[in-house]
Amino acid sequence: MLTDIEKIIFILFAIIAIGLSYTTFNKMFKAIGVGSQQIDWKRALLNFPKGLEVFISQRTLFKTRPVIGFIHALVAWGFTLYLVVNIVDVLYGFIPEFHFFPNYFIGKVYRLFVDIFTVLVLLGVVYFLVRRFIFKDNRLVINEPVMLNDLAKKGMRNDSLIVGFFIFLHVGSRLLAASFEIARNGSDTFQPAATTIALLWSDFSQESIIISEHIFWWIALGLILGFLPYFPFTKHAHLFMGPLNYMAKTERKSMAALEAINFEDDSIDQFGAGQLGHLPQSQILDAYACIQCSRCQDACPAYETGKELSPSALEINKRYFLNSHLDEFINGSIPDAAITDILLTDEAAWSCTTCGYCVEVCPVGNEPMLDILRARQDLVMMESKFPQEAMETFDKIENYGNPWGLSPQEREVWMEGKEVPLMREKKEAEVLYWAGCAGAYDNRGKEISQAVVDVLNEAKVDFASLGNEETCTGDSARRIGNEYLFQTMAEKNLETFGKYKFKKIVTQCPHCFTTLKNDYSELGADLEVVHHSQFIGELVSEGKISPKAWLDEDVTYHDACYLGRHNDEYDAPRDVIQSIMKNGSLVEMEKSREESFCCGAGGGNMWYEIKTGERINHNRFKQAADTGATTVATSCNFCNIMMEDGMKVTGNDDKMKVMDIAELVSKSLSN
C-alpha cells in the first residue's frame, strides 16, 4: 500500500521514535531504581501470569464504580486489541496486497472484532472526555484543603485531554483508513461500521480515496510512534505499569504490616522515609502506575470529612514531582525535599486512620497508606515531629504497658465477679484469651471482655488469661511511627508467651488481632490468632453454645477496618448476629464490607485529634442512623468507643444503642 518513499520515511520515523522511547522509558526505570528495598525483578517476571491476568481481565476496575469501570475496561480491551491491529496495519502498509487471513474464519472474526471494538473505544473515550470536561464529575476533583502540586492542577486536565484525544484520533483515523480501503475495494460484511462510513466516499474519485487512505494510515500509525516517547510522562503509563505493579508487589501478611527494622544494624542511618528516594522502589513504581481516577478517596475517612489528606493527591504529587525533577532525582542532585513538603502535609500524614480503603480499592495495586506509615516513621524516629498527644501515648505505653496510662496492676479489675482462669496458675490452656488494653481499662471495653468470658464459660472452653502479665501489643506505636517502641512491646509479649503452652489466641480487638497475627510474624513469631467473632461463630456452628434468637428490631453492623479490609473477615460477625435475630433484620449501611467507612480511631487517631473538618466517627454514626436500625453492632473496642461517642453527639442516644457482638450473644445466653 505504501510507496517506497513512504516506507523509508516510516522506517526512519520508527527508528527515531524507538530511540527516544528507550531514553524516556530508561529514565522512568532509573527513577524507580533510586528507591530503597530493590524490587526483585526476577520474582516479578515469574509473576507474569498474574500481571497478564490483571491486564487482560481488567477485573480490578470493578471493585467500585462498576458502570464506569466497565466502560473503562472496554476502552482498555479495545486499546489492547489495537496492539495487534497496529502490527497488522504495518504489515498491510509494507507488503503489497497483504490482509490478515482475508478468506478464513479467523480473518473474518478479526475484522469484526476490530470494527466493533473501534466503535466501543471511540464511544468510551467520548464518554470520559464529556464526563471530565463538560459534566466535570466531582469524583475526579481533589478538593481543598488537600495539598496538590501546582503543576498537577493544570497538568491533570491537560494530560487527560492529550491522552483522550490521542486515543480518539488514533482509533478514529484507523477506522477512517479502513473505510477508505472498503470504498476502494468494495463493502465488507465483517466491518459494518467501516462499511457504513465508506458510503460517505461513494462520490470520491479513486485517486482521492487512495490519498485519503494513505493520510489516515499515517495519522493512525504516526500518532503511535509520536506518542511512544511521551508515554512514560502521561497517566496512560498505567496501562502497562499497573500490571507490572501487581507483578512486583511485596507480599504482606496484612496491608499495614511493614517489614521490621533491624535496630542492631549500625549501617542503617535512616528510619522510615523522609524523602522520596527513601521510599521502596515498589512505591515509586506506584507513581507511574497511578491512573489518577481518585477512587482511593471515595471512602477515605480523612478526605470525606474535609481533612488535608487525599491518597490520590499523594500519588499524583509523586508523579508530577518526578516528572519535573526527573534528571535531578536520577542523578541524586535534587535538593533535599521532605515528603511532607512535596507529597502531603504534616497534618495529612497524621490524619490517616490506616483503614486500608485506598489499598483495597486501587485498580492498579498502589499502596499510598504505606507511604504515609513510612513518612510517620521518619517524623517520629528521625525528626521528632508529631502530635503532643502521641508523645504522651508513647510515654504511657512505655511506662505503664498501656496507652491509657493506668497501672499494670489494674489489668485484672475487669475480671471481678467473673470466672477467669489465669495462665500463671494454669500454665497451659487450649485458648489464651487476650483482653487487650481497651478490654482491660476502658469501661465499655471491660463489659465486652466480661461478655466474651461469659460465652467462653458457657461453651466450656479451656481458656486462661494473662491478666497483669499482659501488656500492649504495640499496635498504636507502630501505626503512629514508633517502630522501636512497637518492637520493645512485642518482645515483652513474646517472652511472656514462651512461658506458657496454648494453641491459639482469641481476642475481641481487631488491632490486637492483626498485630499479634500479622505484625509479630515479621519478628519471627508464628501464632494462631482468632478474632472473637470467628471463634464465637465456630462455637455456634459446632453446637457448643445455643444462643436464643431474641433481637426483634433491626440491627446494622459496622465493619471494623482491621478485621475486614486488613484480614478479609466480613462474614463471621454477620453470621453471629444472624444467629440471634428473631423478628428484626440485619440492614447494611450505605458503605459496608470492602467499602466500609472507618470509625476514625485507627492508625493511632484514637489518641490524638485532627480538628480540621468533621469528626470521622460523627460522620459514620450518621450513616448508621440513616439505616433506621435501633442497634449498631460492633466487633472492635475502638469502634465501640467511637460509635458511642458519635451516637451521643448526633443526638441518637435516646433511640439507639451500640453493642459488641459478644454482648449480643451473651445476652441471648442469659435469656
Side-chain angles (χ1 to χ4, degrees):
M1 190 269 286
L2 296 179
T3 64
D4 290 340
I5 294 177
E6 284 180 301
K7 291 177 182 178
I8 294 171
I9 293 173
F10 184 86
I11 291 171
L12 291 175
F13 190 17
I15 292 172
I16 293 170
I18 292 171
L20 292 174
S21 299
Y22 173 81
T23 301
T24 53
F25 274 87
N26 188 44
K27 283 186 177 181
M28 180 172 67
F29 280 96
K30 280 185 175 180
I32 293 170
V34 171
S36 62
Q37 298 181 33
Q38 291 186 354
I39 292 174
D40 184 346
W41 290 109
K42 182 177 180 180
R43 183 185 66 83
L45 290 175
L46 291 175
N47 277 339
F48 178 74
K50 182 177 183 180
L52 184 63
E53 184 268 328
V54 169
F55 181 76
I56 293 175
S57 71
Q58 296 291 316
R59 59 178 171 79
T60 55
L61 287 169
F62 303 106
K63 293 180 179 178
T64 60
R65 306 181 189 175
V67 175
I68 293 173
F70 179 69
I71 297 173
H72 195 137
L74 287 176
V75 174
W77 287 327
F79 198 77
T80 302
L81 175 62
Y82 260 68
L83 297 176
V84 175
V85 171
N86 290 329
I87 295 173
V88 172
D89 285 351
V90 169
L91 294 175
Y92 169 72
F94 274 75
I95 302 174
E97 303 303 321
F98 174 85
H99 287 89
F100 184 75
F101 298 103
N103 300 317
Y104 291 87
F105 178 74
I106 188 174
K108 295 173 182 178
V109 171
Y110 166 78
R111 297 200 304 278
L112 182 62
F113 258 74
V114 172
D115 193 79
I116 292 172
F117 269 96
T118 294
V119 174
L120 292 176
V121 169
L122 291 173
L123 291 174
V125 170
V126 169
Y127 167 80
F128 285 119
L129 289 172
V130 169
R131 174 175 173 245
R132 180 179 287 274
F133 294 103
I134 296 179
F135 291 112
K136 299 180 180 178
D137 191 331
N138 191 54
R139 287 178 294 182
L140 299 173
V141 177
I142 296 174
N143 297 317
E144 294 182 348
V146 174
M147 180 180 79
L148 187 62
N149 188 299
D150 288 336
L151 294 174
K153 291 175 182 177
K154 179 185 287 187
M156 289 170 62
R157 289 176 58 83
N158 291 344
D159 193 16
S160 296
L161 195 64
I162 291 171
V163 170
F165 272 101
F166 157 70
I167 297 175
F168 185 83
L169 291 174
H170 167 59
V171 175
S173 295
R174 198 276 171 190
L175 176 61
L176 290 175
S179 73
F180 280 108
E181 181 197 355
I182 289 172
R184 179 165 56 86
N185 296 324
S187 64
D188 183 357
T189 306
F190 296 96
Q191 297 186 78
T195 297
T196 302
I197 295 173
L199 296 175
L200 298 173
W201 326 131
S202 58
D203 293 333
F204 279 37
S205 66
Q206 194 72 3
E207 183 181 0
S208 297
I209 289 174
I210 293 172
I211 292 173
S212 297
E213 182 186 2
H214 279 242
I215 289 173
F216 286 106
W217 185 95
W218 269 101
I219 293 174
L221 275 300
L223 280 171
I224 285 289
L225 294 178
F227 188 75
L228 270 178
Y230 180 59
F231 183 86
F233 298 100
T234 73
K235 72 172 187 176
H236 206 54
H238 74 265
L239 188 65
F240 302 113
M241 301 306 283
L244 183 62
N245 210 18
Y246 277 101
M247 292 163 59
K249 206 173 188 61
T250 301
E251 296 298 327
R252 306 181 189 283
K253 293 288 186 178
S254 69
M255 57 177 63
L258 295 176
E259 64 288 339
I261 296 174
N262 183 2
F263 289 101
E264 295 182 359
D265 186 348
D266 294 333
S267 66
I268 300 176
D269 56 8
Q270 172 64 42
F271 301 132
Q275 299 173 21
L276 190 55
H278 296 156
L279 290 174
Q281 292 180 2
S282 61
Q283 285 172 249
I284 295 177
L285 171 58
D286 283 353
Y288 293 105
C290 181
I291 197 173
Q292 298 181 15
C293 63
S294 292
R295 281 175 170 83
C296 54
Q297 67 184 26
D298 283 352
C300 169
Y303 181 78
E304 284 290 286
T305 54
K307 295 172 177 53
E308 294 183 5
L309 174 63
S310 161
S312 177
L314 186 156
E315 296 295 354
I316 291 169
N317 287 339
K318 193 189 297 181
R319 165 83 69 81
Y320 276 90
F321 182 84
L322 285 170
N323 283 352
S324 58
H325 298 85
L326 191 57
D327 290 331
E328 301 160 273
F329 184 71
I330 293 171
N331 297 329
S333 59
I334 192 169
D336 293 343
I339 280 178
T340 48
D341 288 332
I342 61 174
L343 301 190
L344 75 171
T345 63
D346 281 25
E347 182 178 300
W350 300 118
S351 296
C352 178
T353 64
T354 64
C355 73
Y357 178 80
C358 58
V359 178
E360 171 72 29
V361 79
C362 181
V364 291
N366 283 355
E367 300 173 311
M369 181 181 70
L370 297 188
D371 291 10
I372 296 170
L373 289 175
R374 296 184 195 282
R376 286 180 174 186
Q377 288 180 334
D378 174 80
L379 290 170
V380 171
M381 294 187 288
M382 303 297 292
E383 302 294 330
S384 295
K385 290 172 59 181
F386 46 88
Q388 177 60 35
E389 300 94 327
M391 171 59 82
E392 295 170 3
T393 301
F394 295 153
D395 289 341
K396 290 173 182 176
I397 293 174
E398 185 174 6
N399 296 321
Y400 298 97
N402 67 84
W404 268 265
L406 298 175
S407 170
Q409 301 309 310
E410 294 182 26
R411 271 194 182 267
E412 295 179 11
V413 172
W414 69 269
M415 301 179 185
E416 294 175 0
K418 297 291 179 181
E419 295 181 22
V420 186
L422 293 170
M423 196 62 93
R424 63 177 178 267
E425 297 171 357
K426 289 189 67 171
K427 304 301 181 184
E428 64 178 285
E430 183 82 12
V431 170
L432 170 62
Y433 170 54
W434 184 273
C437 298
Y441 294 109
D442 174 67
N443 289 333
R444 283 290 286 117
K446 293 176 185 177
E447 295 173 353
I448 295 170
S449 297
Q450 291 168 349
V452 174
V453 165
D454 288 342
V455 174
L456 295 178
N457 282 324
E458 176 71 17
K460 295 181 173 53
V461 174
D462 175 25
F463 78 99
S465 171
L466 289 173
N468 292 340
E469 290 183 284
E470 191 178 290
T471 191
C472 182
T473 62
D475 162 75
S476 292
R478 184 168 228 207
R479 310 311 170 204
I480 295 175
N482 194 335
E483 176 72 9
Y484 185 81
L485 179 57
F486 158 71
Q487 292 193 22
T488 300
M489 305 312 295
E491 287 168 5
K492 287 182 181 179
N493 283 316
L494 291 173
E495 184 178 347
T496 302
F497 294 160
K499 294 160 55 177
Y500 304 112
K501 291 183 179 180
F502 55 88
K503 291 185 178 179
K504 67 177 65 173
I505 300 173
V506 173
T507 179
Q508 73 263 28
C509 175
H511 296 267
C512 294
F513 171 53
T514 196
T515 303
L516 292 169
K517 177 185 176 184
N518 302 318
D519 293 81
Y520 278 25
S521 68
E522 297 291 339
L523 303 175
D526 184 17
L527 303 170
E528 182 182 354
V529 190
V530 180
H531 186 255
H532 78 317
S533 65
Q534 299 169 323
F535 195 71
I536 293 173
E538 290 174 5
L539 295 178
V540 173
S541 63
E542 293 171 4
K544 293 181 179 178
I545 58 172
S546 301
K548 294 180 175 62
W550 65 274
L551 273 171
D552 287 321
E553 298 177 326
D554 289 349
V555 177
T556 188
Y557 171 66
H558 164 73
D559 285 281
C561 301
Y562 272 68
L563 180 61
R565 280 191 287 267
H566 285 255
N567 287 283
D568 199 31
E569 182 58 82
Y570 300 100
D571 295 327
R574 288 174 169 81
D575 292 342
V576 171
I577 295 169
Q578 291 286 11
S579 71
I580 53 174
M581 296 298 298
K582 188 176 182 182
N583 296 319
S585 300
L586 177 59
V587 291
E588 296 288 0
M589 297 186 218
E590 181 183 356
K591 295 179 179 178
S592 62
R593 301 183 76 95
E594 290 88 349
E595 295 182 54
S596 183
F597 200 75
C598 183
C599 75
N605 278 253
M606 178 74 184
W607 314 111
Y608 58 83
E609 182 179 354
I610 302 297
K611 296 182 179 179
T612 301
E614 181 186 12
R615 289 200 63 178
I616 295 170
N617 62 321
H618 299 172
N619 184 294
R620 180 55 167 171
F621 198 85
K622 290 174 186 174
Q623 297 174 33
D626 287 343
T627 66
T630 56
T631 299
V632 180
T634 61
S635 58
C636 169
N637 290 34
F638 284 2
C639 292
N640 191 284
I641 293 169
M642 301 301 276
M643 294 301 278
E644 286 203 335
D645 175 75
M647 177 180 66
K648 295 170 185 175
V649 172
T650 58
N652 286 288
D653 50 327
D654 61 337
K655 54 188 175 184
M656 297 180 72
K657 56 183 177 291
V658 180
M659 296 183 70
D660 186 87
I661 60 170
E663 294 178 298
L664 295 172
V665 173
S666 176
K667 185 174 180 179
S668 76
L669 297 175
S670 64
N671 285 341

